[in-house]
Amino acid sequence: MANSRVLIISDQHYPYSHPDIFAFLKALAKKYKPDRVINIGDEIDGHSLSFHPHDPDLASPSDELKTAINRMKPLFKLFPKMDLVESNHGSLVYRKAKFHGIPLWTVKSYRDILGAPKGWAWHTHLVVTLSNGAKCYFCHTKGSDIQKVSQAMGMSVVSGHMHERFEIRYWANSEGLYFGMHVGCLIDDDSLAFSYNRLNLKRPLIGCGIIIDGLPKLLPMVLNKHGRWNGYVP
Ligand SMILES: [Fe+2]
């Protein structure tokens, strides 16, 4: 059955992604052999293009994007087919173009900017029929209360964006069982790009999600005291 093992890759924020992101994703791919891979957005950070002030100690827009692409490249081979949902960081090139009055048709596509494989497709959001026949909605974010979002959609929901949320909330009605899943993120919390968050008590939760035969599972990347992946494959 199609969509029996749907791997969800959480916010990566290349080039400010966790240094062990590829090793972790490779291990997950080997263990779970996903038949569908969905990238929940913020695949690149775009700090230098942001509407917020640019940290003078971080790279220029061009250098940042080139580094992001170089770090992302191994994923092109590991996951030649991937669906990506649009996100606030991932879409910065288009948001900035629009802000400055540049017609979007003059700007390259997501795939062309990144040099991504033909199998990578970007969507505003996605509804996928899982292998158990249930529908699941994938979006970057529609709010922090994932159960409410799921109830409003009338189907299960997976979303990203909230880096410190890594949770599954089940609910049911007379028609069936549903879930909302927040999949955390895959960022490098030590990067200067996230210094805005340094004083917050809640720290980002590093990991991914998977849906196996219609049921969700969180896949935490367990870190050692130096912030590196300890090698455990959840
Ligand atoms: Fe994000």
Side-chain angles (χ1 to χ4, degrees):
M1 286 289 284
N3 302 319
S4 63
R5 295 175 311 283
V6 183
L7 177 66
I8 303 108
I9 301 178
S10 61
D11 295 41
Q12 308 111 82
H13 289 257
Y14 284 106
Y16 311 117
S17 47
H18 192 280
D20 300 317
I21 184 172
F22 182 69
F24 182 64
L25 290 173
K26 196 174 163 193
L28 295 183
K30 188 177 174 198
K31 178 168 177 177
Y32 292 101
K33 299 181 176 49
D35 60 354
R36 183 89 179 246
V37 179
I38 296 178
N39 191 321
I40 211 71
D42 283 2
E43 64 277 19
I44 59 167
D45 186 85
H47 169 85
S48 58
L49 292 174
S50 168
F51 289 91
H52 301 292
H54 178 195
D55 189 318
D57 290 321
L58 283 172
S60 71
S62 186
D63 286 345
E64 183 187 84
L65 188 56
K66 283 177 188 166
T67 310
I69 292 167
N70 279 334
R71 290 188 184 166
M72 187 187 274
K73 262 181 191 164
L75 287 194
F76 298 164
K77 207 171 169 193
L78 183 63
F79 302 121
K81 270 197 81 174
M82 185 188 281
D83 291 301
L84 302 94
V85 293
E86 290 189 285
S87 56
N88 52 323
H89 282 264
S91 65
L92 267 168
V93 166
Y94 307 108
R95 290 166 60 205
K96 265 293 176 84
K98 202 171 175 181
F99 182 80
H100 291 290
I102 298 168
L104 292 185
W105 61 265
T106 66
V107 185
K108 280 182 173 182
S109 68
Y110 283 105
R111 189 186 298 120
D112 285 346
I113 291 172
L114 298 177
K118 281 187 182 152
W120 282 35
W122 276 260
H123 315 267
T124 307
H125 44 230
L126 266 179
V127 175
V128 169
T129 303
L130 303 171
S131 59
N132 65 349
K135 289 192 170 177
C136 187
Y137 179 69
F138 295 84
C139 63
H140 186 59
T141 183
K142 286 287 183 292
S144 58
D145 189 329
I146 198 71
Q147 185 172 331
K148 270 190 186 165
V149 177
S150 176
Q151 287 168 333
M153 289 301 297
M155 64 180 84
S156 293
V157 167
V158 177
S159 81
H161 186 66
M162 311 275 170
H163 294 185
E164 75 291 348
R165 285 185 187 258
F166 196 57
E167 62 183 352
I168 295 169
R169 298 280 300 275
Y170 281 100
W171 64 281
N173 60 21
S174 59
E175 298 300 307
L177 176 69
Y178 310 87
F179 63 85
M181 175 161 65
H182 267 133
V183 288
C185 64
L186 289 168
I187 67 165
D188 175 7
D189 193 26
D190 290 332
S191 166
L192 277 180
F194 304 109
S195 58
Y196 66 89
N197 193 37
R198 197 108 321 146
L199 297 179
N200 285 353
L201 183 63
K202 285 186 182 170
R203 306 315 311 154
L205 292 159
I206 313 298
C208 291
I210 193 163
I211 303 170
I212 301 172
D213 297 331
L215 290 178
K217 181 182 173 182
L218 293 167
L219 304 171
M221 181 201 270
V222 183
L223 307 181
N224 64 24
K225 64 179 179 180
H226 304 294
R228 301 300 298 263
W229 178 39
N230 73 357
Y232 171 70
V233 184

